Amino acid sequence: ALYTVELCHSRFFGCDRDLINVREVGEKVKEKMERLNITEILADKACEVLMPHSTFTVSISGCGNACTAPESRDVGVHGVAIPVVTDVECSQCGKCAKVCLDWAIHYENGRPVINEEHCKLCGACITFCPTGTIKAKRKGCRIMVGGYFGRHARYGDEIYKVANESKLYPVLEACVDLIKKEWNEQHEDHFS
């Protein structure tokens, strides 16, 4: 296969930070890549020896810790959750603020306040809130495309900040269509 589907370590034993089911999404992505015939397309496109970085890579991480570096892959996905402060009484334990690696939570009048500009939607505050004062308004996945690593590395472009998993499959189709289109244009230029 000339594609790789990378899954974070939660594929082995789960993770308390998972916001999406990595194994399930990974299987669906593999099935989609097979149906899209990405291996045949890339093999036809190859004019020289294929290097490991010539393959198409989809990276899937369960949370915003992004263990598989999805931002630097052809298509990258990681789980996200939008936190919201509910009307449930807060115990003021401070756990939400302590687990927030982005310092997006502070307290006003004994209640947590989430700074949306700093929040990376990792869901840690939701997971560790013992009272349910902070809950998930919405869960989904962040989808990025066009990232790569190496000498001139670049982060992928964010297509969706918070999307349903179903949005991922048209994104994969569009990427494969772009590969086909570029290959056809290169050959038209070469033979004209």
Side-chain angles (χ1 to χ4, degrees):
L2 295 179
Y3 69 90
T4 305
V5 179
E6 300 172 337
L7 305 177
C8 70
H9 66 275
S10 75
R11 72 186 181 275
F12 297 121
F13 47 79
C15 177
D16 64 352
R17 302 263 176 153
D18 275 350
L19 297 168
I20 59 174
N21 185 323
V22 172
R23 281 179 271 192
E24 187 179 294
V25 175
E27 284 303 314
K28 290 179 185 176
V29 167
K30 285 180 188 175
E31 290 170 13
K32 184 69 170 178
M33 298 310 289
E34 287 296 319
R35 284 195 306 270
L36 291 172
N37 295 318
I38 188 68
T39 295
E40 291 80 5
I41 292 165
L42 291 175
D44 288 345
K45 184 180 168 200
C47 299
E48 55 192 58
V49 176
L50 284 166
M51 301 297 285
H53 59 271
S54 300
T55 63
F56 189 87
T57 304
V58 180
S59 173
I60 305 167
S61 291
C63 70
N65 286 340
C67 298
T68 56
E71 68 281 347
S72 63
R73 303 297 189 248
D74 295 305
V75 176
V77 178
H78 68 76
V80 292
I82 300 172
V84 63
V85 178
T86 67
D87 292 337
V88 174
E89 189 173 333
C90 177
S91 66
Q92 298 178 38
C93 67
K95 287 182 182 178
C96 58
K98 288 176 190 166
V99 299
C100 181
L101 300 176
D102 302 299
W103 304 284
I105 299 177
H106 67 278
Y107 280 79
E108 289 179 13
N109 301 320
R111 308 266 310 149
V113 176
I114 300 169
N115 181 330
E116 293 178 13
E117 289 182 29
H118 291 197
C119 180
K120 301 290 188 231
L121 310 178
C122 73
C125 58
I126 298 163
T127 302
F128 289 95
C129 178
T131 60
T133 303
I134 299 178
K135 292 215 177 221
K137 179 179 180 181
R138 183 170 155 216
K139 288 185 179 182
C141 54
R142 180 176 182 222
I143 303 173
M144 299 151 286
V145 299
Y148 48 87
F149 59 91
R151 176 177 243 162
H152 303 287
R154 99 182 265 282
Y155 280 152
D157 297 318
E158 182 179 82
I159 302 300
Y160 295 105
K161 186 169 186 162
V162 183
N164 293 330
E165 173 199 329
S166 62
K167 298 283 189 185
L168 172 60
Y169 309 108
V171 168
L172 292 171
E173 289 175 18
C175 289
V176 172
D177 286 346
L178 182 62
I179 291 168
K180 285 193 264 188
K181 180 182 176 208
E182 287 180 355
W183 187 81
N184 288 336
E185 287 174 0
Q186 286 174 354
H187 279 75
E188 285 172 9
D189 291 344
H190 180 72
F191 294 112
S192 47

